[in-house]
């Protein structure tokens, strides 16, 4: 008796799958078992349920478990689907082949890899292993060491992996996304060559190799393709909109000879292009597989109709899409709410108060989420929630104190509050060239053991190679001793730290610079350093906590990290012009993905949806800029949401307005632009002896300028200060 017959018999006598439990569209998707099938599954439309029933139905129709392949993006997802299918039918579902693309590739390459010259005992390396190899090769190729400005191992792996996942040549990727590293293109290409040779010679594969070699096996070895394609008569792929080009090619090659492929996904939820996902995979599927049958799942089992009406309108203006209209039988009359705060603080205050109101109405914290475009958009809200003792868990992005460059700057400010903070001393001292952990520890001990920390720092016997760096650090702390204003301290710190920052994070400092600019805007709102340090000491969730221990916490999350989740109440913050869509989105596909990102955020809500934005934002140069709502909100049709206004610090519903979905009358008076504003001065504008004025230090005389971004100014009351011109608001007298 062959294996297939055994599996078929194992399914006999099982309980029958009740297709009456499905809606008509789901039932059609489950029972359309032959030929290519594209299922466009709208948000909350029972996508997983459809896949589960299809597995059970195929088995009930006599398809052997080993003939079915279920590809998902997490191992947990496939395990859960097959477990649920087993509950519908019997334990034969456990013998269906299910897993991630990488997991299935690993299994097949161990069996068929000899066609490509691989033994079955190859070792899979993780990212840390890959970075270690890159570091080793950098040394052997003479690309590391003293006076070498070569990219770090982390950035190099990002480039090499990005090239594979986005199907872009390495040099094209560098010129497009890492232009500041373009001088190293030839060296990086050579490093990639040696990296591949090293893996091959040592029987190693990284995650990207699993996909590349699986595709090679199917496309370059006809014998292997025939055997593997015959092995799986029915293929199902979940979240097809998140596949990259290699994965789409693998699916096409796997279906050789039968084309029994069902892919499930939602083009409107394609938001992971930065990981290599290709939106057009799902759009071109009917062309790749002629005679594709398209079924749309449009009945939503998550959200109320007012929420769905708004989300339908968000995606209505998408340039390319599979047109669908979500509907539901769930009762609900509450329209989504639109609120415009005067600034980010008022926006955060509104969200915090509404959260308290929802709790009063019986909504538990774990059923409330606040979503945002980027991690730093929630900083003001985090401070508000902390001040009121509202517990939260933040997902996606980093908290204010978790990114290395932000920790660097905050370390200086922590020492203003607590000069005995040895952790901050170690962090700062390790920034000095030629100072290692052992030396930094000795200096930190000497400094923190003294009653006069700055004096102890100045008197410490510095080595020849780092003597000049120590002098600059001592000068900074002497300048900081006489100051208390957070904004002024930040300027002094940045004048010292900026050159170090650009050296330490030379591979991606332009990207990190935006975080420091944001930190500047935040710190400018504080009157004292102690309050700033206290507010930004956010406690991350403790390790080892299970879901039960998190039951009393609400969720703060980037939208990317929220996909697939749902809550009773959802707030989407920061929906301001220039912030959402991201100001770098431009036009075309990037802008369209931003639209889909908002769609994903809004479709997370079950009962309550709040859309908020500030009417003014602080720019990096401490100026307030008036902003409007996101253009995606401006496109919404009238009557789809309820607008809230602020009147004497009280939130009230605004009267209905006609014509469009937004009001052209601002809720707050517009500040008039000041006349004769001074332009930002550069080093070329300043010469020794020139008289200048600083908003904090007063009048002074330029002592040294002309190079870089710093200038030394002798102020009449504060002495000589080194200022960074990107941050100091100097004006000529």
């Amino acid at each position: 008796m062959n294996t297939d017959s055994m599996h078929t018999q194992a399914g006999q006598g099982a309980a029958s799958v009740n297709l009456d439990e499905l809606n008509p569209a789901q039932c059609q998707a489950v029972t359309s078992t032959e030929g290519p099938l594209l299922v466009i599954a709208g948000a909350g439309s029972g996508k997983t349920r459809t896949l589960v029933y299809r597995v059970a139905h195929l088995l009930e129709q006599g398809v052997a478990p080993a003939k079915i392949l279920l590809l998902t993006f997490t191992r947990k997802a496939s395990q859960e689907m097959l477990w649920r299918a087993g509950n519908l039918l019997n334990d034969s579902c456990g013998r269906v082949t299910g897993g991630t693309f990488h997991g299935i590739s690993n299994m097949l390459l161990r069996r068929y890899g000899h066609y490509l010259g691989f033994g079955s005992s190859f070792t899979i390396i993780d990212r840390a292993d890959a970075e270690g190899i890159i570091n080793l090769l950098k040394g052997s190729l003479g690309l590391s060491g003293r006076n070498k400005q070569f990219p770090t191992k982390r950035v190099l792996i990002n480039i090499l992996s990005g090239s594979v996942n986005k199907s872009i040549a390495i040099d094209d990727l560098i010129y497009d996304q890492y232009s500041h590293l373009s001088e190293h293109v030839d060296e990086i290409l050579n490093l990639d060559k040696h990296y591949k040779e090293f893996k091959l010679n040592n029987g190693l594969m990284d995650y990207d190799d699993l996909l590349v070699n699986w595709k090679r096996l199917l496309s370059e070895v006809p014998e292997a393709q025939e055997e593997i394609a015959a092995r799986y008569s029915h293929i199902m792929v979940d979240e097809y909109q998140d596949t990259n080009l290699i994965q789409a090619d693998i699916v096409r090659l796997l279906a050789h000879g039968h084309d029994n492929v069902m892919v499930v996904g939602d083009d409107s939820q394609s938001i992971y292009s930065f990981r290599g996902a290709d939106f057009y995979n799902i759009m071109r599927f009917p062309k790749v597989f002629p005679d594709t049958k398209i079924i749309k799942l449009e009945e939503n089992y998550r959200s109320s109709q007012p929420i769905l009406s708004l989300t339908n309108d968000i995606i209505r203006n998408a340039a390319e899409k599979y047109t669908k209209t979500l509907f539901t039988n769930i009762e609900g009359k509450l329209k989504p709410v639109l609120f415009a705060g005067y600034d980010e603080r008022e926006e955060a205050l509104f969200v915090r108060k509404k959260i308290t109101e929802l709790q009063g109405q019986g909504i538990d914290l774990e059923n409330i989420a606040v979503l945002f475009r980027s991690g730093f958009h929630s900083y003001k809200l985090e401070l508000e929630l902390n001040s009121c003792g509202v517990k939260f868990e933040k997902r996606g992005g980093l908290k204010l104190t978790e990114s290395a460059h932000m920790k660097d700057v905050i370390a200086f400010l922590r020492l203003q509050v607590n000069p005995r903070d040895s952790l901050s001393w170690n962090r700062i001292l390790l920034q000095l060239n030629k100072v290692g952990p052992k030396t930094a520890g000795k200096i930190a001990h000497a400094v923190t053991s003294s009653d006069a920390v700055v004096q102890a720092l100045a008197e410490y016997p510095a080595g020849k190679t780092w003597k000049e760096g120590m002098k600059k650090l001592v000068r900074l702390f002497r300048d900081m001793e006489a100051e208390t204003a957070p904004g002024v301290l930040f300027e002094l710190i940045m004048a010292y730290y900026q050159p170090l920052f650009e050296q330490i994070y030379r591979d991606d400092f332009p990207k990190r610079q935006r975080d420091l600019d944001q930190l500047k805007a935040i710190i400018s709102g504080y009157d004292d350093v102690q309050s700033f340090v206290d507010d930004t000491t956010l406690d991350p969730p403790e390790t080892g906590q299970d879901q039960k221990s998190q039951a009393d916490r609400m969720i703060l999350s980037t939208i990317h990290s929220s996909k697939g989740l749902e809550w009773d109440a959802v707030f989407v913050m920061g929906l301001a012009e220039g912030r959402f869509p991201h100001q770098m989105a431009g036009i075309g596909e990037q802008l369209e993905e931003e639209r889909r990102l908002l769609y994903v955020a809004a479709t997370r809500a079950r009962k309550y949806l709040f859309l908020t934005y500030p009417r003014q934002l602080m720019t990096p140069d401490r100026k307030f800029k008036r902003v409007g709502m996101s253009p995606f909100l401006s496109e919404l049709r009238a009557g789809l949401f309820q607008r809230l206004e602020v009147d004497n610090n009280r939130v009230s519903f605004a009267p209905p307005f006609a014509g469009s979905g937004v009001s052209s009358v601002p809720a707050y008076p517009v500040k008039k632009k000041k006349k004769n504003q001074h332009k930002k001065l550069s080093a070329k504008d300043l010469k020794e002896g020139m008289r200048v004025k600083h908003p904090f230090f007063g009048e002074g005389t330029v002592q040294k300028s002309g190079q870089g971004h710093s200038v030394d100014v002798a102020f009449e009351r504060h002495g000589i200060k080194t200022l960074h011109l990107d941050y100091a608001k100097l004006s000529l007298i």
Side-chain angles (χ1 to χ4, degrees), residues 110-404:
R110 291 196 186 279
R111 181 166 178 174
Y112 300 99
H114 61 275
Y115 286 111
L116 299 175
F118 293 105
S120 61
S121 60
F122 62 82
T123 299
I124 300 173
I125 59 174
D126 61 16
R127 185 183 175 98
D129 295 326
E131 290 183 355
I133 295 171
I134 290 294
N135 230 23
L136 180 66
L137 292 174
K138 281 175 62 179
S140 65
L141 294 172
L143 300 174
S144 61
R146 293 167 54 178
N147 303 319
K148 294 290 183 181
Q149 301 296 315
F150 201 64
T152 64
K153 58 185 180 182
R154 178 182 60 83
V155 172
L156 288 167
I157 286 295
N158 285 344
I159 292 172
L160 301 186
S161 181
S163 170
V164 173
N165 285 286
K166 297 179 181 180
S167 296
I168 302 174
I170 290 175
D171 49 354
D172 289 339
L173 182 68
I174 293 173
Y175 290 131
D176 183 46
Q177 299 181 27
Y178 299 85
S179 58
H180 59 294
L181 301 179
S182 56
E183 63 182 296
H184 300 298
V185 166
D186 291 339
E187 293 168 311
I188 294 174
L189 288 172
N190 186 43
L191 180 67
D192 177 56
K193 175 186 174 184
H194 282 81
Y195 177 52
K196 290 175 178 175
E197 290 176 353
F198 184 95
K199 288 183 292 183
L200 182 62
N201 293 336
N202 290 275
L204 306 175
M205 285 194 205
D206 60 26
Y207 295 140
D208 297 328
D209 293 328
L210 291 172
L211 296 183
V212 170
N213 288 325
W214 188 8
K215 179 184 173 182
R216 284 184 58 207
L217 188 66
L218 295 171
S219 61
E220 298 176 11
V221 186
E223 183 180 351
Q225 183 189 26
E226 289 288 344
E227 190 172 341
I228 295 172
R231 180 172 180 164
Y232 301 115
S233 63
H234 291 79
I235 301 167
M236 287 175 280
V237 186
D238 189 21
E239 303 285 10
Y240 192 71
Q241 78 281 346
D242 294 335
T243 55
N244 60 27
L245 284 170
I246 294 180
Q247 290 165 327
D249 286 342
I250 288 171
V251 171
R252 176 179 55 80
L253 293 165
L254 273 175
H256 172 70
H258 58 73
D259 285 356
N260 291 332
V261 179
M262 171 191 181
V263 300
V264 183
D266 184 3
D267 55 296
S268 299
Q269 297 187 67
S270 179
I271 59 173
Y272 294 117
S273 65
F274 64 95
R275 296 180 185 169
D278 192 327
F279 167 76
Y280 291 101
N281 281 350
I282 197 168
M283 302 305 294
R284 68 168 71 96
F285 185 85
K287 294 180 180 178
V288 174
F289 289 90
D291 302 320
T292 291
K293 185 176 185 178
I294 301 176
I295 298 173
K296 299 176 184 178
L297 305 185
E298 298 175 291
E299 182 172 358
N300 179 282
Y301 296 92
R302 175 188 299 158
S303 308
S304 64
Q305 190 58 53
I307 292 175
L308 295 180
S309 295
L310 183 136
T311 58
N312 287 334
D313 212 51
I314 290 173
I315 211 68
R316 171 177 56 90
N317 291 312
E320 293 187 69
K321 62 182 181 296
Y322 288 104
T323 302
K324 57 184 175 295
T325 303
L326 298 182
F327 67 93
T328 185
N329 291 318
I330 299 174
E331 294 184 4
K333 297 182 179 179
L334 293 173
K335 290 183 179 181
V337 169
L338 174 65
F339 172 77
Y342 179 71
D343 53 19
E344 289 182 273
R345 184 180 180 280
E346 186 171 84
E347 180 189 23
L349 184 62
F350 166 78
V351 173
R352 195 262 296 168
K353 287 182 176 179
K354 276 295 175 184
I355 289 170
T356 303
E357 288 181 21
L358 290 169
Q359 284 184 280
Q361 296 171 20
I363 305 295
D364 295 330
L365 272 181
E366 63 264 31
N367 286 322
I368 302 174
V370 181
L371 310 180
F372 30 83
R373 174 64 182 77
S374 301
F376 70 83
H377 292 171
S378 68
Y379 290 162
K380 293 288 186 183
L381 177 62
E382 290 179 49
L383 301 180
E384 281 288 338
L385 296 176
N386 275 318
S387 68
C388 298
V390 178
K391 295 180 180 180
F392 64 88
E393 175 187 348
K394 187 171 182 181
R395 300 175 181 173
L398 294 173
K399 291 187 179 181
L400 185 62
T401 57
E402 288 183 349
S403 51

Side-chain angles (χ1 to χ4, degrees), residues 391 393 541-553:
K391 295 180 180 180
E393 175 187 348
E542 296 179 9
T543 58
Q545 290 179 322
D546 56 24
Q547 292 298 319
K548 191 173 182 180
S549 67
Q550 297 289 341
D552 62 341
R553 297 172 185 263

Side-chain angles (χ1 to χ4, degrees), residues 454-469:
V454 178
Q455 187 63 29
L457 185 69
E459 293 174 355
Y460 192 89
K464 291 182 180 180
T465 56
W466 46 278
K467 190 173 184 178
E468 286 303 312

